[in-house]
Amino acid sequence: MEISIDVLIADSRLAFVQGRYNESLKLADEALKVDENNSDAHQCAGNAYMSKQDYDNAIEHYKIAVENDADNGDRYFNLGYAYATSNQPVKALEMFAKADEIGCSPNVVGQLYKIMGMLCFDLHRYNDAIINLIKSEKVVGIDMDVLQRKALSYSMSGQTSNGIEVANQMKLLAPTEYLGYRIAFNILLQEERLEEAEKELDRAERFAKPVKELFFDWVAYENARYELDGDKEHLYLAIDKIFEGLCVVEPEVNSIVDSYINAAEIYIQLENSNMALKCINAAENPINSFNEGFSVKQLTELETKPVVKPGQREIDIAVETVRRKYGEQKIERYGREMAAKARRNSPDLEKNMTPIAQNHESDYSKVDVDVNPVYSQEKTEHIYRLYVAAYTIVKDNEHIKVYASKLANSSDPQSKYIGKYSLIKALKDEGYPKADEEYRDFLTYLRNEMIKDPTDLLVLTFRIQCHIDLGEFEEAEKLADLLSDEMRKPILEQIKTAQSGGEA
């Protein structure tokens, strides 16, 4: 007995809902043998291919569904969704616009506007994003993803007051989540309203659950303060925040790697190569480093002296401060971590300690040794760049050459330029007789790169640096004139120093 096409389509839909995608596709194909132009059958096939992440075949079936049912807005929505999923945002928006024009079923409309808003945001069409996200809210109600994109769209389009209003709405909906505070903080930081930005982080510490992003944002805040006044105390405060985050937030291996990398960057700014290298090494071995008590803070003589017991009032104030910032559950954990680090940093104190039986609670700060960190190419090369910078501080040319060589073969232009330049500079500093020839070849390479993209300021700055190293100061000054006033000023100072016999 021959099965009707309607039954095949119904069975295909049922198999799809049950997650049996191969069976759903097989039934859709059988339906298409009965009627190759049936839009519902093509829809079923497209859905199955989407679930199998075969976007090209999904798009082909959705296209045929649209051709044979051109007055159905849902068909255009499905095709647009497939384009969006396969990273073709312009085509996706074309299909979504057609779906909006024709009209979609009620259960599709809200998603249509939401995805249109997100695509417009990704394409930097912020005003269009706001319009579509507002439409989505009117259909489906409050959605945290929509609120987040809307707040950021307001900020990027210069409507910062509206952006902060949306951030406040997010805080009302989820007062213990950091996201709303973070968006408000980034808006204020972008506008250099640093006092208000600091207050926003203080509010987050009082009301939101502590997360790694909070402590990373404190680092960004202190870096912004340092850029304004040049006071290195801000960099030390940033290190304190990284340390605090490692103590307070539940350890997760990839965030630990990021924390060590952030600390290394700060120590490089402080020209402390010893601590920078320790932090970079820890970033490459995060599990052992964290579990064995590696600290991003450099111990000073004062920290290694015997500790004077604080008075009860001081203890009460300290406890209340931690309680206010992190809640009751974090007080014991923070105290344990600080005590553990004190014991590790001052082994003599162990003689006075009474051993405590180990139990499951003592593992609170350990990283799971079975969860390996994820190092993307970008992060790996970031670590190599930090190694080059740290070894440059101490003029360790052998190690500079090792890591510069790795960067020189990168597919990323920035890493490649840094690697090639650092390698040649190390060779010159070692007295390599053909170093100047290497500079000439590199300059030719940079000129060719700049012909491809005359706006590439990174290439321009490396060209200037090469001419400074070669003592060609007039040529360096000519190229510096192509930079903005803000960028030109430190370059001219560097040229002046090099001309007077100082280091470039």
Side-chain angles (χ1 to χ4, degrees):
M1 177 177 154
E2 194 172 298
I3 303 175
S4 72
I5 189 170
D6 291 338
V7 172
L8 289 169
I9 291 171
D11 288 346
S12 176
R13 287 170 174 165
L14 178 61
F16 178 81
V17 170
Q18 293 176 341
R20 297 182 288 118
Y21 304 125
N22 289 330
E23 180 68 17
S24 176
L25 181 58
K26 179 181 177 182
L27 290 164
D29 286 339
E30 290 181 21
L32 289 171
K33 289 176 183 177
V34 178
D35 180 1
E36 64 179 10
N37 293 317
N38 187 286
S39 294
D40 288 335
H42 281 291
Q43 178 73 44
C44 288
N47 291 346
Y49 277 120
M50 283 291 290
S51 296
K52 291 160 66 69
Q53 298 183 354
D54 185 344
Y55 304 124
D56 290 340
N57 274 316
I59 287 169
E60 289 306 312
H61 280 284
Y62 287 148
K63 279 182 177 178
I64 298 172
V66 165
E67 291 169 3
N68 294 310
D69 192 11
D71 294 328
N72 186 334
D74 288 2
R75 306 290 190 202
Y76 290 95
F77 171 81
N78 290 317
L79 179 55
Y81 186 79
Y83 278 131
T85 307
S86 61
N87 197 28
Q88 301 181 65
V90 175
K91 288 184 178 180
L93 283 172
E94 289 176 5
M95 293 301 105
F96 286 147
K98 189 67 176 177
D100 189 26
E101 177 187 336
I102 294 172
C104 297
S105 56
N107 62 319
V108 169
V109 174
Q111 287 298 310
L112 169 69
Y113 291 133
K114 177 179 178 179
I115 299 173
M116 286 180 73
M118 291 181 170
L119 289 173
C120 288
F121 178 88
D122 292 340
L123 291 170
H124 301 215
R125 291 164 49 179
Y126 299 115
N127 289 323
D128 290 339
I130 292 168
I131 291 169
N132 284 298
L133 293 171
I134 290 174
K135 286 181 179 180
S136 175
E137 284 182 322
K138 289 179 179 178
V139 177
V140 300
I142 299 299
D143 182 305
M144 290 297 283
D145 287 338
V146 169
L147 288 173
Q148 179 181 357
R149 297 290 183 123
K150 190 167 69 165
L152 294 173
S153 295
Y154 276 130
S155 173
M156 298 304 293
S157 63
Q159 304 176 61
T160 53
S161 296
N162 288 337
I164 291 175
E165 284 183 11
V166 176
N168 284 335
Q169 188 179 1
M170 295 173 71
K171 287 185 274 184
L172 286 171
L173 291 168
T176 63
E177 297 299 323
Y178 180 54
L179 184 57
Y181 303 93
R182 188 175 205 198
I183 290 174
F185 165 76
N186 281 306
I187 291 173
L188 295 168
L189 187 68
Q190 184 180 333
E191 293 197 329
E192 296 186 357
R193 294 158 60 181
L194 296 185
E195 289 186 9
E196 294 173 75
E198 182 182 15
K199 291 177 182 177
E200 192 65 35
L201 294 179
D202 285 335
R203 277 191 287 272
E205 286 192 337
R206 290 201 302 274
F207 301 114
K209 293 180 292 187
V211 291
K212 64 178 183 179
E213 289 81 8
L214 170 60
F215 297 97
F216 288 171
D217 285 345
W218 269 116
V219 172
Y221 165 75
E222 295 296 350
N223 275 321
R225 291 286 302 273
Y226 173 68
E227 288 178 9
L228 281 179
D229 60 23
D231 186 349
K232 290 185 178 180
E233 180 61 23
H234 297 303
L235 300 180
Y236 290 109
L237 290 172
I239 291 289
D240 287 344
K241 286 299 180 181
I242 295 172
F243 173 79
E244 192 175 338
L246 288 167
C247 291
V248 171
V249 178
E250 195 71 30
E252 191 276 319
V253 66
N254 291 309
S255 65
I256 290 170
V257 172
D258 291 337
S259 295
Y260 291 154
I261 287 174
N262 285 343
E265 288 179 329
I266 294 169
Y267 279 119
I268 285 170
Q269 290 184 79
L270 291 166
E271 298 187 342
N272 185 336
S273 61
N274 182 46
M275 281 302 298
L277 289 168
K278 286 181 179 179
C279 291
I280 303 169
N281 290 331
E284 290 192 306
N285 302 281
I287 296 174
N288 288 338
S289 297
F290 185 87
N291 287 349
E292 292 176 9
F294 171 75
S295 176
V296 296
K297 291 185 69 173
Q298 182 176 27
L299 292 177
T300 64
E301 289 184 6
L302 287 176
E303 289 176 306
T304 59
K305 289 181 180 179
V307 179
V308 178
K309 183 179 178 180
Q312 187 59 46
R313 185 172 180 276
E314 293 174 282
I315 294 173
D316 291 342
I317 292 172
V319 169
E320 182 57 34
T321 300
V322 176
R323 178 182 289 111
R324 181 177 65 83
K325 289 174 68 174
Y326 305 117
E328 293 285 350
Q329 293 181 341
K330 294 296 179 183
I331 294 176
E332 182 181 0
R333 178 175 172 184
Y334 189 66
R336 283 179 175 177
E337 182 66 18
M338 296 296 287
K341 289 185 182 296
R343 289 196 299 273
R344 287 188 290 261
N345 293 328
S346 302
D348 288 343
L349 292 179
E350 291 284 0
K351 299 172 183 177
N352 302 321
M353 301 295 174
T354 303
I356 300 173
Q358 295 294 312
N359 55 47
H360 67 281
E361 291 183 354
S362 65
D363 294 331
Y364 74 97
S365 65
K366 300 292 186 181
V367 183
D368 187 346
V369 296
D370 294 324
V371 179
N372 294 319
V374 177
Y375 294 96
S376 62
Q377 180 182 343
E378 180 182 0
K379 186 169 290 188
T380 298
E381 291 181 358
H382 189 173
I383 289 172
Y384 293 160
R385 293 197 297 271
L386 290 172
Y387 271 124
V388 169
Y391 284 121
T392 297
I393 294 171
V394 291
K395 300 180 181 178
D396 184 340
N397 289 322
E398 285 304 314
H399 280 99
I400 291 172
K401 288 188 294 183
V402 169
Y403 292 101
S405 297
K406 296 176 184 289
L407 293 171
N409 295 315
S410 171
S411 59
D412 173 65
Q414 181 185 15
S415 293
K416 182 181 291 186
Y417 301 152
I418 292 172
K420 286 179 176 291
Y421 170 77
S422 300
L423 187 57
I424 296 168
K425 181 69 163 60
L427 291 171
K428 182 177 179 63
D429 290 344
E430 287 180 336
Y432 178 61
K434 294 186 178 181
D436 284 4
E437 293 180 28
E438 298 285 347
Y439 269 109
R440 297 296 173 203
D441 290 342
F442 187 44
L443 279 167
T444 300
Y445 170 79
L446 292 172
R447 278 194 294 270
N448 290 336
E449 291 297 301
M450 203 157 184
I451 289 171
K452 298 176 188 176
D453 182 6
T455 65
D456 192 335
L457 296 179
L458 185 63
V459 172
L460 180 58
T461 55
F462 275 106
R463 287 180 65 189
I464 294 169
Q465 190 62 58
C466 286
H467 285 298
I468 294 174
D469 293 350
L470 289 168
E472 298 169 352
F473 305 120
E474 185 175 342
E475 186 64 29
E477 287 177 348
K478 287 180 182 178
L479 291 174
D481 287 338
L482 301 174
L483 296 169
S484 65
D485 290 341
E486 183 180 1
M487 295 182 67
R488 183 168 59 249
K489 185 175 179 181
I491 291 288
L492 292 177
E493 287 293 327
Q494 186 181 1
I495 293 172
K496 185 179 178 181
T497 300
Q499 280 180 310
S500 65
E503 292 188 4

